């Protein structure tokens, strides 16, 4: 694909930015992101339909840690904070970070700024798995499925995502090496097939099922509880720690596989590892929250725009940015139509689309925003 | 010191022998220039020496060890390669690109400072200091090529490799103006003088003659001549391999071997047959 067409550079005053040494700039960026993360987490647990004052939040959290502060709060407030808001924010952090870092890794791996985790078939496969359970679950499993949907759906979603990515991977494997150009095309083909089957199931669904699968297909953190967090954490956290270790190899691979090989990296191994790690983390994220678009695409772009394309900053930065964006979008989704929840994909799309158009309109021929 | 040795190396690709039974050696301090027509196997031979491809037959040693005995990471500390073209669309600065060349040497506060000094030094050697903080995608083809040369130099700079150091250049002057072509070959000579063994694939026979200690001529995968320019770049070899008429002379400015070439006059018998 033509990189000139795909690139999304942005005009910016680079001269001033260059005065600051690279390491100082990346430290500042990471510090700002951590600060943003803390703020959005506080906002996430403070904002909601039932009022809990910030000071009461402090006292509830203190109480959980065994300290008693002389401040009034009801047990109902404790329950809302500990069982509804906190798990929702934590799940949002995990999902957002997985999507952000997954997008960063794949954009680097495919040398394509438009790559996003959906490219490998993860989202469409997961969607097919989840929709299958929603639409056919009652027919196949009868009453039994009613109590099981909460477990079956994420499981089916995860397996569906895994199966789709495995198919993409198998199709693009030739002579023991994965051809990434073929992988892009195989991803398109697998996404189209899974999409048409999902479409058929949507067509067959009744109005009750349609509502719940719309929520799933547009993504939502509405069902978040601690069990969802514990299900997602073991698969999202290890990739978040391991993927940044591939940063230098991914930097070298931006110069081409041959050059990366000359620099002592094994591009095949790095490709394989990144695909496995991204599939695990994004698969678990999608299973937990449904299909949430744009975070995986926008978060890495934002970091490259500010700090440059070095994966040692882009990967952790995109994880933090993804977490901030997702928890922020979730707050918005909760309050804009309160007490109803909006699907979170509606929010990320509504805000992400215009942002991307802005990027397109402000592109300069060459600059930090390029990709 | 022997930097690289190739003995009886063959490589088949797509049912075609792209390299056939090639043997050559490279010593520290030496620049070997590989010439030959398009598709003669120059780049394939370079890929074999770089370890990008395994030969179907023959043995290749680089920096004192057979290629099979090297780990990728260890080899990368004493052998660097400038490929024919590199695509990079992500907005790294020129300095960052050259610093990627230091990847094989690990990280840490000391190495980072050292890497920065080496990178700036190498940029100066290729005459690209003024490009240091420019974004790589905004450079011209020739500027990119010089930055890639700096990256490859930085990779093997400042190390006392016991097996010696090796620099492989695949048409590293193809996008450069004449002044920079000479500049980059002078640089290759300087680097060789520091004890590095250099192999350069080059199309310009006069550059090969002026800067190569020895010339290897490849034709349809075979090394048909290998030795000092005066013995190898003869009218007979040029005629046979390139199908060109050739006269050798001395460059009046430098005294180096120079070649004047022209298409062979049409052969009357062949012309008659064609008619």
């Amino acid at each position: 694909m033509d990189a000139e067409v795909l690139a999304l550079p942005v005009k910016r005053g680079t001269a001033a930015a260059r005065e600051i040494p690279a390491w100082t700039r990346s430290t500042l960026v990471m510090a700002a992101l951590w600060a943003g993360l803390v703020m959005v987490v506080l906002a996430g647990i403070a904002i909601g339909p039932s009022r809990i004052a910030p000071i009461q939040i402090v006292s509830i959290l203190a109480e959980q840690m065994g300290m008693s502060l002389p401040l009034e709060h009801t047990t109902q407030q404790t329950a809302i904070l500990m069982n509804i808001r906190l798990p929702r924010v934590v799940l949002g952090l995990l999902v957002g970070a997985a999507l952000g870092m997954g997008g960063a890794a794949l954009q680097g791996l495919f040398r394509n700024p438009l790559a996003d985790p959906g490219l490998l078939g993860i989202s469409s496969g997961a969607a097919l798995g989840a929709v299958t359970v929603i639409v056919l679950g009652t027919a196949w499993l009868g009453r039994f499925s009613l109590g099981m949907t909460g477990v079956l759906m994420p499981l089916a979603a995860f397996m569906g995502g895994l199966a789709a990515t495995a198919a993409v991977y198998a199709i693009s494997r030739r002579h023991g090496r994965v051809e990434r150009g073929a992988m892009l095309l195989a991803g398109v083909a697998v996404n189209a097939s899974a999409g048409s089957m999902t479409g058929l199931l949507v067509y067959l669904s009744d109005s009750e099922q349609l509502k719940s699968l719309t929520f799933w297909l547009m993504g939502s953190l509405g069902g978040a509880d601690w069990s969802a967090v514990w299900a997602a954490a073991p698969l999202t956290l290890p990739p978040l720690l391991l993927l940044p270790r591939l940063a230098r190899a991914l930097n070298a691979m931006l110069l081409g596989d041959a050059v990366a090989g000359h620099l002592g990296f094994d591009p095949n191994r790095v490709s394989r590892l990144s695909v496995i790690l991204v599939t695990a983390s994004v698969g678990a994220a999608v299973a937990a929250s449904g299909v949430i678009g744009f975070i995986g695409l926008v978060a890495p772009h934002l970091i490259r725009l500010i700090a440059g394309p070095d994966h040692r900053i882009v990967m952790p930065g995109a994880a933090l940015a993804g977490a901030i964006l997702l928890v922020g979008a979730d707050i918005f989704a909760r309050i804009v139509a309160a007490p109803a929840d909006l699907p979170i994909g509606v929010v990320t799309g509504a805000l992400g689309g215009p942002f991307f158009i802005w990027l397109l309109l402000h592109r300069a021929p060459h600059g930090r925003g390029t990709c | 010191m022997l930097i690289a040795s190739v003995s009886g190396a063959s490589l088949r690709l797509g049912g075609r022998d792209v390299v056939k039974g090639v043997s050559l050696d490279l010593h520290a301090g030496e620049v070997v220039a590989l010439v030959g027509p398009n598709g003669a196997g120059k780049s394939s031979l370079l890929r074999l020496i770089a370890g990008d491809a395994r030969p179907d037959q023959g043995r290749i040693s680089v920096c004192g060890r057979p290629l099979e005995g090297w780990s990728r990471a260890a080899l990368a500390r004493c052998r660097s390669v400038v490929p024919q073209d590199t695509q990079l669309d992500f907005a790294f600065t020129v300095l960052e690109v050259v610093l990627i060349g230091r990847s094989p040497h690990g990280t840490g506060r000391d190495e980072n400072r050292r890497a920065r000094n080496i990178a700036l030094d190498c940029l100066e050697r290729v005459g690209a200091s003024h490009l240091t903080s420019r974004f790589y995608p905004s450079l011209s083809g020739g500027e990119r090529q010089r930055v890639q040369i700096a990256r490859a130099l930085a990779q093997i700079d400042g190390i006392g490799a016991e097996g010696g150091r090796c620099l492989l250049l695949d048409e590293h002057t193809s996008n450069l103006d004449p002044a920079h072509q000479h500049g980059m070959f002078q640089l290759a000579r300087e680097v060789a003088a520091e004890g590095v063994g250099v192999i350069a694939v080059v199309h310009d026979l006069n550059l090969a003659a002026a800067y190569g200690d020895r010339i290897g001529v490849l034709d349809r995968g075979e090394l048909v001549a290998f030795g000092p320019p005066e013995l190898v770049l003869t009218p007979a070899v040029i005629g046979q391999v390139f199908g060109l008429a050739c006269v050798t002379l001395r460059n009046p400015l430098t005294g180096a071997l120079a070649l004047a070439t022209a298409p062979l006059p049409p052969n009357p018998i062949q012309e008659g047959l064609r008619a």
Side-chain angles (χ1 to χ4, degrees), chain A residues 6-348:
Chain A
L6 291 177
L8 300 171
V10 163
K11 282 180 213 146
R12 54 189 286 274
T14 48
R18 261 193 240 116
E19 303 291 318
I20 310 166
W23 68 268
T24 319
R25 194 168 62 230
S26 57
T27 313
L28 283 175
V29 168
M30 291 305 285
L33 285 168
W34 278 110
L37 191 76
V38 170
M39 290 202 303
V40 84
V41 165
L42 290 178
I45 53 178
I47 296 172
S50 77
R51 249 187 78 80
I52 308 176
I55 196 80
Q56 288 174 310
I57 291 171
V58 174
S59 95
I60 292 169
L61 292 177
E63 188 189 63
Q64 293 297 317
M65 288 184 277
M67 287 176 286
S68 172
L69 299 181
L71 288 161
E72 288 292 314
H73 60 261
T74 63
T75 49
Q76 195 197 359
Q77 285 177 322
T78 309
I80 289 174
L81 191 72
M82 293 312 296
N83 298 334
I84 298 176
R85 291 196 191 161
L86 202 56
R88 185 166 181 153
V89 166
V90 173
L91 192 68
L93 293 178
L94 287 176
V95 170
L99 292 174
M101 194 182 284
L106 291 187
Q107 288 174 7
L109 191 64
F110 288 97
R111 295 182 208 109
N112 185 334
L114 287 189
D116 106 347
L119 197 79
L120 297 173
I122 304 171
S123 312
S124 62
L128 181 58
V131 172
T132 305
V133 170
I134 293 171
V135 177
L136 300 179
T138 352
W140 287 352
L141 303 165
R143 283 263 174 77
F144 177 65
S145 80
L146 287 176
M148 293 289 288
T149 318
V151 181
L152 270 184
M153 220 172 68
L155 193 68
F158 185 70
M159 299 309 285
L162 217 61
T165 310
V168 169
Y169 195 79
I171 294 167
S172 51
R173 231 174 108 91
R174 213 142 295 159
H175 310 301
R177 61 171 54 216
V178 175
E179 290 165 20
R180 273 170 277 160
M183 211 162 178
L184 280 175
L185 297 174
V188 171
V190 167
N191 280 337
S193 313
S196 88
M197 283 188 270
T198 305
L200 180 66
L201 289 170
V202 170
Y203 177 74
L204 292 174
S205 63
D206 60 36
S207 62
E208 183 78 358
Q209 293 165 340
L210 194 60
K211 195 160 163 70
S212 71
L213 65 83
T214 305
F215 250 85
W216 206 90
L217 291 176
M218 296 301 288
S220 171
L221 293 173
D225 54 19
W226 285 114
S227 69
V229 171
W230 294 129
L235 282 164
T236 45
L237 283 178
L240 286 173
L241 298 173
L242 292 173
L243 275 170
R245 301 177 65 126
L246 302 175
R248 283 165 72 88
L250 285 171
N251 282 348
M253 282 164 72
L254 288 181
L255 291 165
D257 282 7
V259 173
H262 298 149
L263 286 166
F265 299 107
D266 184 345
N268 265 318
R269 190 175 150 269
V270 174
S271 303
R272 210 163 47 230
L273 267 177
S274 337
V275 168
I276 291 170
L277 291 172
V278 170
T279 306
S281 63
V282 174
V286 175
S289 65
V291 182
I292 297 172
F294 264 114
I295 302 274
L297 189 63
V298 169
H301 268 284
L302 278 175
I303 304 303
R304 285 201 203 92
L305 199 66
I306 303 163
D310 188 334
H311 282 99
R312 286 173 292 180
I313 301 151
V314 171
M315 293 224 274
L320 289 172
I324 294 169
L325 288 174
L326 190 61
V327 175
D330 185 50
I331 296 172
F332 195 77
R334 270 187 284 161
I335 58 171
V336 74
D341 256 5
L342 222 57
I344 204 166
V346 172
V347 178
T348 55

Side-chain angles (χ1 to χ4, degrees), chain A residues 3 18 248 262 265 366-368, chain B residues 52 72 89 91 103 107 133 137:
Chain A
R18 261 193 240 116
R248 283 165 72 88
H262 298 149
F265 299 107
H366 302 286
R368 264 309 186 199
Chain B
D52 293 353
R72 281 170 184 271
D89 305 317
S103 307
T107 45
S133 46

